[in-house]
Amino acid sequence: MGGVMQGAGVSPGVGSGPVRSIAGAVPEPPAGARHGGDAAAETDTALAALEAVAADLEERGERAAAVGNDDGRDVLNAQALMARDPGLADGVRGAIGGGTAAARAVFDAFGVYREMLAGAGEYMAARVTDLDDIRDRAIARLLGLPVPGVPESDEPFVLVARDLAPADTAVLDPAQVVAFVTEEGGPTSHTAIIARTMGVPAVVALKGATTIADGTRVLVDGAAGTVLLDPSGSEVSAARAAADARASALRESTGPGATRDGHAVPLLANIGGPKDVEAALANGAEGVGLYRTEFLFLDRATPPSDAEQEKAYRKVLEAFPEGRVVVRTLDAGADKPLAFLPAPGDEPNPALGERGLRMMRLHPDVLSAQLSALARAAAGLTVKLQVMAPMVTDAAEAAFFAAACREAGIEHPGVMIEVPAAALRARDLAPEVEFFSIGTNDLTQYACAADRQIGGLAHLQDPWQPAVLDLVAPAAGAGVSCGVCGEAAGDPVLACVLVGLGVTSLSMSAPSLPLVRAALARHTLDECREAAAAARAARSAGEAKDAARARLPGLADLGL
């Protein structure tokens, strides 16, 4: 077949082996399929299938935890909750009561939820694949078909799929699966998250991935986002040598983040709760740049108690006595719907609706309780607690949040820059708060009008787009400290560009920290500035990346 295929690299590293594809696609049950007349029995059968799927997911979760994959267990437990959702069961009962056969009733009930999630913003859209997997597992049981799953192999292999379900990825053996390649997905999909946790190279949004024939030998570069078909022995050897050189360089790169000429750039970790602290510390995080507190609130009918919140916050704060912890207040709303915070009426475009701070202004008691719990958690500790609000658009919203922080006893308020209007007018927001944190995931999606979960729009979902860099620049130059906490911060080449634009700290998933630290340590601040200027002068994302790389000579030492 030959040639190089380009996708989006989401987990660094090099893996080579034969392709094995996910097998056992489940067909859609025929539209209009009817049961034999016993609605009660048909309902019992359908609900039993959903319960069996839930139990299997939980069992897989325990297997994942047994090999140290706590993230995988959490993902699978969340899927089990989806399978047991009372609203889903009601939808199945209603369809079967109208005469629809069990398999079709399950398909249609999931379809309602699927449409809601697909249009509900980045976080929930990334869960559509999870929902499809639960649906297909239930339908396979109802139709007597094999449940979809990972193929068996007598040698290590590269797993290729349209997308991967958490139920499969969470129990994979990294000694057997040397890389992931998917045709769909994005940097925030569960495939990407679990690949990074496992330390397995992964490339997503690779158009044509599923056309690669089983058995084809490939070379996957999870940093460059490339898949080389039918590589020669010398090409594999060269790639592995570069990976070894990179690993050696990473072992030598320790200490606080800084450029070669000593310009400090604190390197922080993105976390979802206390369970992520160990990995952050192991990878040399100087603190936390994004504590996603919504994971305390998801999948609950009532909000966590004040004491529960305070305990979760304090565990993280205590882990960084000499550093900083940046907490994002509850990012709830259209893209992360919560049972106890219903959206105000129908929203035809939920991703642009009442979310983040907009939602908290509708529920000030929830915001006040969270800020007060944070203030109590930080009492008596030496860590610097910074608290920021998501989805802020203008100076008035920034001022509102800062006032709420002061009232609760929070000394260091900030806001996220993820709305293009806020980036363009950052100078208006700066006098109201102490710091900014740029969320490049949403900023890119909003600036380019491209849902980051749609693989066909990967070329627009790229933070290397010069227009996105143009939005980072005014925020970084507005006169307050400005970090980046989106996935862009974990790209070692783009990290140098961001520093060149004036960004003062970088926060990323913990496994990305060593490579970013090493990349910065090999370049001066002036080289980073030259790379940033060259990237902004380009006309496309690809040209921007090439222009920046040409001005960052130290990348060769890392095999980048």
Side-chain angles (χ1 to χ4, degrees):
M1 195 170 177
V4 177
M5 302 176 73
Q6 182 70 54
V10 295
S11 182
V14 171
S16 180
V19 164
R20 297 285 184 269
S21 301
I22 290 284
V26 177
E28 176 182 338
R34 312 288 287 179
H35 62 71
D38 190 341
E42 195 80 0
T43 298
D44 289 345
T45 299
L47 297 184
L50 289 170
E51 176 55 34
V53 169
D56 178 62
L57 291 168
E58 288 180 330
E59 190 273 333
R60 286 170 176 261
E62 292 309 310
R63 284 165 51 198
V67 296
N69 189 354
D70 290 339
D71 285 343
R73 177 187 57 193
D74 293 344
V75 168
L76 294 173
N77 285 344
Q79 276 197 299
L81 286 174
M82 291 183 188
R84 293 184 173 125
D85 183 82
L88 177 69
D90 288 343
V92 170
R93 289 191 189 93
I96 292 176
T100 301
R104 185 67 203 190
V106 168
F107 184 89
D108 290 342
F110 273 97
V112 173
Y113 279 71
R114 193 182 196 283
E115 289 181 9
M116 290 170 58
L117 293 185
E122 174 192 338
Y123 179 84
M124 296 308 293
R127 311 285 81 83
V128 168
T129 298
D130 306 355
L131 207 62
D132 289 348
D133 178 57
I134 303 166
R135 177 199 66 196
D136 289 349
R137 289 173 182 274
I139 290 173
R141 289 176 180 274
L142 291 169
L143 297 181
L145 300 173
V147 175
V150 176
E152 295 183 357
S153 176
D154 55 3
E155 63 176 319
F157 62 94
V158 173
L159 184 60
V160 175
R162 183 165 299 281
D163 210 339
L164 292 172
D168 295 322
T169 53
V171 294
L172 291 175
D173 179 359
Q176 183 77 351
V177 179
V178 297
F180 297 154
V181 178
T182 65
E183 191 154 321
E184 298 178 353
T188 59
S189 66
H190 277 145
T191 299
I193 293 169
I194 293 177
R196 287 191 288 266
T197 300
M198 292 174 60
V200 175
V203 175
V204 302
L206 185 81
K207 187 176 182 181
T210 54
T211 66
I212 304 174
D214 265 30
T216 302
R217 301 198 78 83
V218 297
L219 175 63
V220 178
D221 187 328
T226 58
V227 175
L228 176 61
L229 307 175
D230 296 318
S232 65
S234 61
E235 287 171 323
V236 173
S237 296
R240 287 180 173 159
D244 289 343
R246 182 186 304 164
S248 177
L250 296 186
R251 286 193 295 271
E252 297 170 1
S253 179
T254 58
T259 59
R260 183 158 56 87
D261 52 340
H263 175 71
V265 184
L267 300 181
L268 314 170
N270 295 342
I271 68 169
K275 64 183 177 58
D276 298 330
V277 168
E278 182 178 352
L281 292 171
N283 284 282
E286 298 169 57
V288 171
L290 173 61
Y291 184 166
R292 301 181 177 99
T293 59
E294 58 270 12
F295 289 102
L296 282 170
F297 294 79
L298 292 172
D299 301 318
R300 304 177 65 129
T302 58
S305 68
D306 292 349
E308 184 180 353
Q309 287 194 60
E310 183 178 339
K311 180 180 179 181
Y313 302 148
R314 192 171 181 90
K315 282 185 177 180
V316 174
L317 293 169
E318 289 175 335
F320 299 95
E322 305 303 322
R324 76 177 84 170
V325 172
V326 182
V327 177
R328 180 175 70 187
T329 55
L330 181 57
D331 191 8
D335 69 331
K336 303 179 188 70
L338 300 177
F340 57 88
L341 290 179
D346 293 332
E347 293 184 333
N349 193 342
L352 304 179
E354 301 282 5
R355 55 171 294 197
L357 185 63
R358 300 172 183 178
M359 177 65 80
M360 290 301 94
R361 296 190 74 170
L362 298 176
H363 300 277
D365 54 325
V366 176
L367 176 62
S368 177
Q370 183 174 29
L371 293 175
S372 296
L374 283 165
R376 291 193 304 273
L381 301 182
T382 56
V383 63
K384 182 178 182 179
L385 169 65
Q386 297 178 291
V387 184
M388 62 185 181
M391 203 65 176
V392 171
T393 303
D394 58 24
E397 290 183 343
F400 167 83
F401 181 71
C405 285
R406 286 192 295 271
E407 184 176 347
I410 301 293
E411 298 179 358
H412 307 293
V415 297
M416 290 194 71
I417 302 294
E418 50 195 342
V419 177
L424 289 169
R425 303 290 296 192
R427 65 183 183 276
D428 294 339
L429 279 66
E432 306 297 340
V433 293
E434 182 178 289
F435 71 97
F436 293 153
S437 186
I438 302 175
T440 51
N441 300 355
D442 271 332
L443 184 62
T444 301
Q445 139 168 293
Y446 290 142
C448 299
D451 189 322
R452 297 174 65 251
Q453 300 306 312
I454 300 176
L457 297 179
H459 66 292
L460 295 175
Q461 300 155 355
D462 193 337
W464 277 101
Q465 286 282 351
V468 176
L469 301 180
D470 285 346
L471 290 172
V472 171
V480 296
S481 63
C482 179
V484 169
C485 62
E487 291 295 328
D491 177 336
V493 185
L494 188 49
C496 293
V497 168
L498 293 170
V499 169
L501 290 172
V503 166
T504 55
S505 65
L506 298 166
S507 188
M508 63 207 74
S509 59
S512 299
L513 286 161
L515 191 54
V516 170
R517 183 183 296 110
L520 289 174
R522 280 160 175 74
H523 299 98
T524 66
L525 179 57
D526 281 344
E527 286 174 329
C528 292
R529 286 170 174 164
E530 291 172 6
R536 289 186 68 188
R539 297 179 60 183
S540 70
E543 290 178 6
K545 188 169 187 176
D546 290 343
R549 290 172 62 88
R551 289 158 178 82
L552 297 169
L555 296 176
D557 296 342
L558 302 173
L560 294 173

